């Protein structure tokens, strides 16, 4: 097993690149959500007499809701779009660097094949206690395997370990990535071979 330098979280980077931000869908969702909240607030306001219930007040409130909703949605979508653009840029940079790192380890592949990887994960939670049974620390460990095809149609396997340790109100996160070598895979069945080949043929 060879350690591979990676400045990020591979599963998150793949998710960002494989699920582009849809401005239209996000705007519709946000618009409906925000308008629903304003409608509920308005119903309470009318019910308790905070706003007099008549046609003019109702029309003014609806117009105000539409204006506030539109403004807030535009601000929120613009902010999210900017944040997503930064995440996509970082994800692209990270995975391009990973392609180069794998190449230095004699594994020739592409960004597209990494994004197409089949991913499996196992989550474990553990606690460390003192002699009196008091919890000293908690750890959440996520082990992820990435099955991807190289340029020779051979399956390569990356292993990512994410640890989140909480102790004395402190929170420590660490991520490591490694390339499994042939000796690490001896005797282990790779159940994703057919799936990966089928995905490759569809493109």
């Amino acid at each position: 097993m060879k350690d591979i330098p990676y400045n990020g979280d591979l599963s998150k980077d793949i998710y960002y690149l494989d699920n582009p931000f849809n401005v239209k869908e996000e705007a519709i969702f946000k618009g409906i959500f925000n308008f629903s909240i304003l409608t509920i607030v308005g119903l309470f306001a009318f019910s308790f007499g905070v706003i007099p219930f008549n046609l003019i007040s109702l029309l003014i409130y609806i117009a105000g809701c539409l204006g506030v909703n539109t403004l807030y949605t535009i601000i929120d979508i613009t902010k999210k779009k900017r944040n997503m653009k930064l995440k996509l840029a970082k994800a692209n940079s990270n995975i391009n660097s990973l392609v180069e790192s794998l190449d230095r380890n004699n594994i020739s592949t592409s960004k597209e094949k990494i994004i197409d990887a089949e991913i499996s994960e196992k989550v474990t939670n553990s606690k460390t206690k003192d002699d009196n049974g008091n919890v000293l620390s908690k750890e959440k460990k996520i082990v992820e395997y990435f099955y991807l095809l190289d340029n020779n149609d051979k399956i390569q396997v990356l292993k990512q370990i994410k640890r989140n340790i909480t102790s004395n109100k402190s929170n420590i996160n660490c991520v490591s990535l490694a390339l499994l070598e042939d000796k690490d895979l001896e005797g282990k069945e790779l159940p994703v071979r057919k799936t990966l080949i089928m995905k490759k043929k569809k493109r």
Side-chain angles (χ1 to χ4, degrees), residues 20-51:
F21 184 69
N22 190 310
V23 175
K24 184 177 179 181
E25 287 183 2
E26 188 68 21
I28 292 172
F29 172 78
K30 275 293 177 184
I32 293 174
F33 177 79
N34 294 334
F35 191 75
S36 298
I37 296 297
L38 291 170
T39 300
I40 292 172
V41 171
L43 289 174
F44 275 103
F46 283 116
S47 298
F48 290 99
V50 177
I51 300 175

Side-chain angles (χ1 to χ4, degrees), residues 2-4 6 10 98 146 158-160 175-179:
K2 294 182 179 179
D3 291 333
I4 301 294
Y6 194 78
L10 181 55
L98 176 58
F146 301 83
L158 295 169
K159 180 181 181 181
Q160 180 172 262
V175 182
S176 63
L177 186 68
L179 170 68

